[in-house]
Amino acid sequence: MSLLVVGSVAFDAIETPFGKTDKIVGGAATYISLCASYFTKDVQLVGVVGDDFPAETIESFKQHGIDTEGLQIKQGEKSFFWSGRYHNDMNSRDTLVTELNVLADFDPILPESYRYPEFVMLGNLAPKVQQTVLERLGHRPRLVVMDTMNFWMEIALDDLKQTLMMVDVLTINDEEARLLSGEYSLVKAARKVLTMGPKFLIIKKGEHGALLFHENEVFFAPALPLEDVFDPTGAGDTFAGGFIGYLAKTKDISFENMKRAIIHGSAMASFCVEKFGTERLIGLTQGDIHDRVEQFRKLSQFDFQLA
Ligand code: AMP
């Protein structure tokens, strides 16, 4: 049984206080699948690119063991393009450009071998498309995780609310949780979002870590304090890829195991931000990942007796 990943596969242009890139490869599904491929060799990618997308990148997906049969290449069309500029704190950014291009009328076609995944990661994409993917599956997967962003809350809220009814876990950042719920307090926001469909909610807070909410329980994982954050683009997607990749590897979807999955997601995201784009996600070893997870364990572990 496999992990099906759908999302944007894109070109990004990024500006941070440390520099600027021309068009580089990005996209939610790119980060998610590359990251998840370190946990499971059964990643199936659904997405669409134009004929401007580099063949070498598709080749590198394959080298990571990612099944790209579901990645459509549209001749004569352009890939999705996103451009963003980070503020000095690197925790917030402005979107400068969103050109949907091939994503504007994306019809997510699932090859037959993709129709029975155990895990599904709906990466950032039009909520209607995320929904279509679920409708085209041959069964109800064990776990569906969905990511989305303010862009879709602003232009497709009704679709988004429908899709939310079909998923188990939602991952959004703090700003998006406030926008979706209309509540400033993240605890109140979480309570509200948990009535909209998902049974679990992860609120990502960038350098301030991530919160997992489920019923009346909350778990908090810190982010690794890094000397230099070079480019936060894709950190949220990498986090999601590590989270679901770990669950797919361990096949345990309990709240306790989700805590461990969050730590793995956070560890993977800490690699992502160390270089521009996906650069740091290529060629990691299991030893690198193990050491980083161990750093996380030490960062937040303490032991004392309650009086
Ligand atoms: P993150 O930094 O994890 O929030 O994700 C950044 C990635 O999201 C970039 O690589 C973009 O290509 C992609 N992205 C940005 N806006 C959208 C959008 N509206 N739909 C799908 N993907 C997007």
Side-chain angles (χ1 to χ4, degrees), residues 7-295:
S8 52
V9 178
F11 285 124
D12 294 341
I14 301 154
E15 285 181 39
T16 78
F18 298 103
K20 211 173 156 170
T21 65
D22 285 330
K23 280 188 176 180
I24 57 170
V25 168
T30 303
Y31 286 101
I32 295 167
S33 2
L34 281 174
C35 176
S37 73
Y38 287 98
F39 297 90
T40 165
K41 281 296 158 218
D42 224 351
V43 179
Q44 298 177 317
L45 172 62
V46 176
V48 63
V49 291
D51 63 5
D52 52 354
F53 198 75
E56 311 87 77
T57 305
I58 300 177
E59 197 44 47
S60 92
F61 291 161
K62 290 182 186 157
Q63 278 167 11
H64 273 82
I66 299 165
D67 184 343
T68 59
E69 196 191 337
L71 179 64
Q72 301 172 37
I73 304 172
K74 294 277 180 196
Q75 295 305 319
E77 293 187 46
K78 282 165 73 178
S79 301
F80 173 76
F81 173 66
W82 175 81
S83 163
R85 183 190 293 132
Y86 287 87
H87 302 167
N88 278 343
D89 67 359
M90 294 290 253
N91 230 14
S92 50
R93 69 183 177 206
D94 295 322
T95 288
L96 303 177
V97 182
T98 300
E99 284 174 15
L100 290 175
N101 299 327
V102 283
L103 276 190
D105 54 2
F106 175 38
D107 180 23
I109 296 164
L110 305 190
E112 189 51 36
S113 61
Y114 281 42
R115 291 188 59 238
Y116 296 90
E118 191 172 8
F119 293 88
V120 172
M121 178 68 227
L122 301 173
N124 193 6
L125 207 57
K128 196 86 200 158
V129 177
Q130 293 175 315
Q131 195 177 327
T132 303
V133 169
L134 295 181
E135 285 164 358
R136 289 181 177 171
L137 294 175
H139 72 169
R140 175 51 164 99
R142 263 186 86 198
L143 192 79
V144 179
V145 181
M146 169 182 174
D147 186 36
T148 189
M149 73 184 297
N150 48 2
F151 181 81
W152 302 111
M153 293 174 194
E154 280 151 16
I155 70 163
L157 187 60
D158 288 344
D159 289 346
L160 178 66
K161 284 186 173 164
Q162 270 185 27
T163 313
L164 281 176
M165 295 303 292
M166 302 168 77
V167 309
D168 302 302
V169 185
L170 175 68
T171 71
I172 44 182
N173 69 28
D174 40 3
E175 211 181 293
E176 290 154 356
R178 289 181 174 123
L179 184 64
L180 183 61
S181 65
E183 295 283 355
Y184 188 80
S185 149
L186 291 182
V187 176
K188 285 187 185 160
R191 202 173 296 137
K192 218 165 183 176
V193 174
L194 288 177
T195 64
M196 296 174 158
K199 293 182 280 298
F200 299 85
L201 170 68
I202 296 174
I203 301 185
K204 300 167 284 180
K205 288 160 59 67
E207 64 170 329
H208 304 299
L211 292 158
L212 167 66
F213 293 90
H214 172 59
E215 294 175 347
N216 290 322
E217 299 196 77
V218 192
F219 173 70
F220 170 70
L224 195 68
L226 292 169
E227 249 176 69
D228 293 311
V229 171
F230 212 68
D231 169 21
T233 309
D237 303 313
T238 305
F239 171 89
F243 174 77
I244 197 149
Y246 181 81
L247 294 178
K249 177 182 170 176
T250 54
K251 298 193 180 295
D252 172 356
I253 57 171
S254 65
F255 184 73
E256 281 310 304
N257 202 46
M258 282 195 191
K259 294 180 184 177
R260 290 186 277 274
I262 285 205
I263 298 292
H264 282 77
S266 304
M268 296 305 286
S270 77
F271 285 121
C272 174
V273 303
E274 287 178 338
K275 294 213 169 143
F276 266 116
T278 55
E279 210 180 323
R280 191 70 175 101
L281 292 184
I282 310 287
L284 288 171
T285 65
Q286 291 300 326
D288 296 332
I289 296 171
H290 177 276
D291 291 351
R292 198 51 76 93
V293 171
E294 183 56 19
Q295 256 177 290

